[in-house]
């Protein structure tokens, strides 16, 4: 009888693990058809969870290697995580106001002495440069993370930055939002056409066997982007699930690990970011939970609340402005990677702390990665 009861509980446990996507050493990708490279990358992230943090760096398409070189000059290290942005083509008389996100057609921020001029390459050529560089960096053992500052769908990939940075008083109405997220509407169709262009880029990476930490619609709990400030079941959650479904089931993009990347919650008047849970689409649609931390806002709650929401899933720092202090870094050990946002790495605060953080015993740089047979593991 004891043996029967034991067997019964084992079976129940296995069933529950299957239902939640769990396995012995963590979770499987939410996309059950994920390519082996994506499965292995997620396994690697779980293998270092709470023990180490991968170093990272964001690079803009218009100067694709610049900030990796800055990190090397400051620390003597090459980051493991390589990030970039599919971005947009900036229009209008105020183009330079949006240079901080690296529009595809403008010179990169942080280049002293270079004006905010237009580049000779087209947005299509710039995105191809991102793809080609991502493939090359992956072959070196780097881990690729990509995102997308996208225009409101009716403008495709070409818009004034004010079309993206709407702020609270100019966000889409609930009627517009419902049309956007309802399959079969005119606006939903336009949005899918816009997404098709990005899907083609991601497919090229899939064909090359490159897994991608994909973090679309970041900082959705803030009040600044058009996709922000829509909490609840009929809000951001519907947008995320619609993209997940379109990329996964229609485009068959199986190289993506889905990184849900909120802003660290804050109560700054006019610059608020709501609670994580109000915007979380559910564990069945998320592989990694991330936070963006700016203004040196290193509250312990930003780390701990994300851990609680993820219930064991990987957490990371999708973007940071200033790096954490060594004390904070050691007090928040579950971040699986961090990634400074482009030119922020050149801030005087980061110049002071970068060497300590990138060379910290808790940090993993590229020189510690063994990528033999295109499998991520730590060097012995």
């Amino acid at each position: 009888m004891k043996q029967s009861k034991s067997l019964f509980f084992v079976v129940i446990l296995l069933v529950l693990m299957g239902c939640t996507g769990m396995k012995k050493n963590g979770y499987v990708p939410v996309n059950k058809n994920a390519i082996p490279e994506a499965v292995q990358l997620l396994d690697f992230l779980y293998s270092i969870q709470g023990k180490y943090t991968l170093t990272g760096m964001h690079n803009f398409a218009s100067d694709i290697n610049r900030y990796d070189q800055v990190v090397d000059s400051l620390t003597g290290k090459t980051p493991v995580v390589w990030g970039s942005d599919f971005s947009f083509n900036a229009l209008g008389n105020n183009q330079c106001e949006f240079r901080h996100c690296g529009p595809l057609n403008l010179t990169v921020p942080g280049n002293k002495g270079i004006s905010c001029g237009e580049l000779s390459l087209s947005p299509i050529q710039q995105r191809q440069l991102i793809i080609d560089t991502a493939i090359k960096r992956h072959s070196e053992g780097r881990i690729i993370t990509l995102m997308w500052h996208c225009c409101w769908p009716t403008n495709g990939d070409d818009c004034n930055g004010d079309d993206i940075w709407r702020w609270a008083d100019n966000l889409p109405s609930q009627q517009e939002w419902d049309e956007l997220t309802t399959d079969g509407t005119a606006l939903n169709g336009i949005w899918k056409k816009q997404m098709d262009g990005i899907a083609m880029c991601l497919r090229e990476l899939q064909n090359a066997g490159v897994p991608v930490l994909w973090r679309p619609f970041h900082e959705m709990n803030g009040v600044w982007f058009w996709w922000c400030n829509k909490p609840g079941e009929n809000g951001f959650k519907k947008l995320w699930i619609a993209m997940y479904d379109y990329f996964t089931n229609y485009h068959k993009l199986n190289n993506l690990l889905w990184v849900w990347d909120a802003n660290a919650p804050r109560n700054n008047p006019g610059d608020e970011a709501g609670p994580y849970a109000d915007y979380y689409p559910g564990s069945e649609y998320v592989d990694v939970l991330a936070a963006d931390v700016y203004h040196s806002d290193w509250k312990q709650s930003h780390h701990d609340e994300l851990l609680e929401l993820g219930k064991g899933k990987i957490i990371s720092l999708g973007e940071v402005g200033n790096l954490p202090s060594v004390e904070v870094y050691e007090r928040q050990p579950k971040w699986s990677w961090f990634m400074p946002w482009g030119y922020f790495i050149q801030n005087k605060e980061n110049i002071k702390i970068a060497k300590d953080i990138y060379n910290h015993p808790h940090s993993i740089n590229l020189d510690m990665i063994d990528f033999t047979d295109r499998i991520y593991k730590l060097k012995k």
Side-chain angles (χ1 to χ4, degrees):
M1 187 68 175
K2 278 187 177 179
Q3 187 174 5
S4 298
K5 284 185 177 179
S6 298
L7 182 60
F8 172 78
F9 285 119
V10 168
V11 171
I12 291 298
L13 178 61
L14 290 173
V15 170
L16 289 174
M17 289 172 67
C19 291
T20 59
M22 289 187 68
K23 59 181 181 178
K24 183 178 179 181
N25 63 337
Y27 287 81
V28 297
V30 291
N31 177 2
K32 61 182 177 58
N33 295 315
I35 61 174
E37 292 87 348
V39 175
Q40 197 277 317
L41 172 54
L42 191 62
D43 281 345
F44 174 68
L45 293 176
Y46 277 108
S47 75
I48 65 167
Q49 188 181 28
K51 304 172 189 174
Y52 300 103
T53 298
L54 302 171
T55 63
M57 190 64 235
H58 182 86
N59 291 274
F60 300 109
S62 50
D63 198 347
I64 204 75
N65 299 310
R66 174 176 176 78
Y67 296 111
D68 274 357
Q69 293 168 352
V70 172
V71 171
D72 179 68
S73 69
L74 292 174
T75 69
K77 297 295 183 180
T78 299
V80 175
V81 178
W82 183 88
S84 197
D85 179 6
F86 285 128
S87 199
F88 71 107
N89 189 33
L91 303 178
N93 296 323
N94 62 344
Q95 291 179 347
C96 292
E97 293 180 19
F98 303 99
R99 190 180 176 209
H100 62 280
C101 72
L104 294 167
N105 59 323
L106 301 182
T107 53
V108 71
N111 279 357
K112 294 180 179 178
I114 297 179
S115 65
C116 183
E118 293 205 8
L119 299 167
S120 57
L121 294 178
S122 70
I124 291 176
Q125 291 171 315
Q126 292 286 68
R127 284 178 176 168
Q128 188 61 51
L129 180 60
I130 292 173
I131 295 165
D132 294 342
T133 305
I135 292 171
K136 187 172 189 297
R137 294 291 169 262
H138 173 258
S139 72
E140 298 165 352
R142 307 284 292 273
I143 293 171
I144 307 304
T145 183
L146 296 171
M147 47 90 69
W148 180 28
H149 279 104
C150 53
C151 303
W152 179 248
T154 55
N155 292 314
D157 292 326
D158 307 282
C159 64
N160 188 302
D162 288 317
D163 187 58
I164 299 173
W165 281 266
R166 297 288 193 94
W167 298 95
D169 60 349
N170 193 32
L171 294 174
S173 67
Q174 191 59 47
Q175 182 178 349
E176 289 176 302
W177 191 264
D178 290 342
E179 184 180 357
L180 174 68
T181 57
T182 299
D183 196 41
T185 67
L187 183 57
N188 183 262
I190 292 169
W191 179 51
K192 286 177 177 175
K193 184 176 180 181
Q194 183 192 37
M195 287 196 294
D196 289 342
I198 299 302
M200 288 176 61
C201 297
L202 294 169
R203 180 172 297 283
E204 192 169 342
L205 291 169
Q206 177 168 283
N207 292 342
V210 178
V212 175
L213 297 167
W214 174 236
R215 58 180 198 97
F217 301 124
H218 68 307
E219 301 173 5
M220 78 301 293
N221 58 330
V223 294
W224 41 90
F225 298 128
W226 66 254
W227 55 85
C228 282
N229 204 27
K230 289 286 189 292
E233 292 298 311
N234 292 317
F236 177 79
K237 180 174 180 177
K238 286 184 66 178
L239 184 73
W240 180 275
I241 294 173
M243 174 182 258
Y244 175 87
D245 179 68
Y246 193 60
F247 274 14
T248 302
N249 299 318
Y250 179 80
H251 278 291
K252 310 296 183 187
L253 292 171
N254 300 323
N255 61 326
L256 307 181
L257 293 175
W258 288 79
V259 181
W260 176 83
D261 184 19
N263 200 86
R266 62 191 186 212
N267 294 317
N268 302 349
D271 192 31
E272 301 90 347
Y276 293 134
D278 290 352
Y279 296 84
Y280 188 53
S283 293
E284 65 269 39
Y285 300 103
V286 173
D287 291 301
V288 178
L289 293 81
D292 290 357
V293 176
Y294 285 93
H295 312 304
S296 296
D297 184 24
W298 290 102
K299 293 186 181 70
Q300 188 66 28
S301 59
H302 299 332
H303 172 274
D304 296 350
E305 289 174 7
L306 207 60
L307 271 178
E308 183 179 354
L309 183 63
K311 300 187 187 308
K313 290 203 171 195
I314 296 294
I315 69 167
S316 75
L317 290 163
E319 297 173 21
V320 301
N322 293 337
L323 292 163
S325 67
V326 170
E327 180 186 6
V328 168
Y329 195 55
E330 292 174 349
R331 198 169 62 238
Q332 300 180 7
K334 287 294 185 81
W335 300 121
S336 290
W337 74 85
F338 68 81
M339 189 182 72
W341 181 256
Y343 61 96
F344 273 85
I345 193 63
Q346 298 175 130
N347 288 353
K348 62 180 180 180
E349 293 85 358
N350 284 337
I351 290 173
K352 291 177 185 176
I353 195 70
K355 189 170 184 178
D356 291 335
I357 296 299
Y358 280 83
N359 286 276
H360 192 279
H362 189 66
S363 297
I364 296 176
N365 295 288
L366 184 60
D367 59 2
M368 299 171 66
I369 296 292
D370 178 354
F371 197 55
T372 306
D373 299 323
R374 295 167 67 91
I375 294 173
Y376 292 106
K377 53 185 178 292
L378 297 181
K379 287 181 179 177
K380 295 182 179 179

